[in-house]
Amino acid sequence: MTTALLSTADELHARVRRGRRAVVMTMGALHEGHATLVRAARELAGPDGEVVVTVFVNPLQFGAGEDLDRYPRTLEADLKIAEQSGADVVFAPSVDEVYPGGQPQVRVTAGPMGERLEGASRPGHFDGVLTVVAKLLHLTRPDVALFGQKDAQQLAVIRRMVRDLNFGIEIVGVPTVREPDGLALSSRNRYLSPSERHTALALSQALFAGADRHAAQEALRARAREVPSTRARAEALSAIGESRAAADAHAVAKAAPGGPAAVRAAARLVLDEAARLDPPLELDYLALVDPSDFTEIGGDFTGEAVLAVAARVGTTRLIDNIPLTFGTFGAAS
């Protein structure tokens, strides 16, 4: 299959559509994470459907002093990766095609969720993201659009926009793809020197440390549920050496309100150590949030949560996150 390279919406709209159209939006510099999204899109679209990969470096989502000018542009390589992954079309419009007449006066606002975490660090970023996503959804007219879960807050605000504004498009999140050493794949990883990349591993290591602590706590809570705390039961267990384990499990379960705090602390310990490396990791934020609104969760929280981190290593800013489930006596999801 040969992937078509198109640059205008008219060319895209002229294509005959027979099945579902699935869209993967990128800013180019494609890597295995993007390829995973394209393969997932191919599966959702089916053999009779169409997969469109957009390549557009959106100026609206870059703030003052950010890396718009140096953001990698590798269209020829992107086309090859898209084709190998099963894309039918690469849609690579110009800035004038997306924003005729200059930057738009009317934009989509992300609301309160867009002002937290990434939004607080990069004011206006999510307004720029939502504006271009809305534009590209209109230009590509998909049935389903896929986004990576590495950008968890971006995925959340896009889902909220599509729901609040009745876009009638299915939004699918695809799990984060990582290097063998745990570093989340990102187009910005190519900016890292070998020593900076070593320091950057602390982001994923911190998340895994938090997830491990969470899993241990949840396992102990499950143990506490399974083992009654009555004297008779404890005496019976003592005969086979389990009373101490039961007592420990109940002690941890009794301290359950500290669960989220302990997860944050385990992750923070790794990040604090990385701050003393050469080069150091400069932490932007570490947060354990409710993915519905990206507010910090409390000690009695139950349900899905996201442990998220952002930091700078040298001149490169990186983000990462991992999903966790609280209160169901399970490990990290």
Side-chain angles (χ1 to χ4, degrees), residues 251-267:
V252 171
K254 192 172 181 179
V263 171
R264 292 185 185 95

Side-chain angles (χ1 to χ4, degrees), residues 60 98-107 131 135:
L60 295 192
V98 178
Y99 301 123
Q103 294 194 0
Q105 295 185 33
V106 177
R107 306 187 185 196
T131 299
K135 293 274 288 185

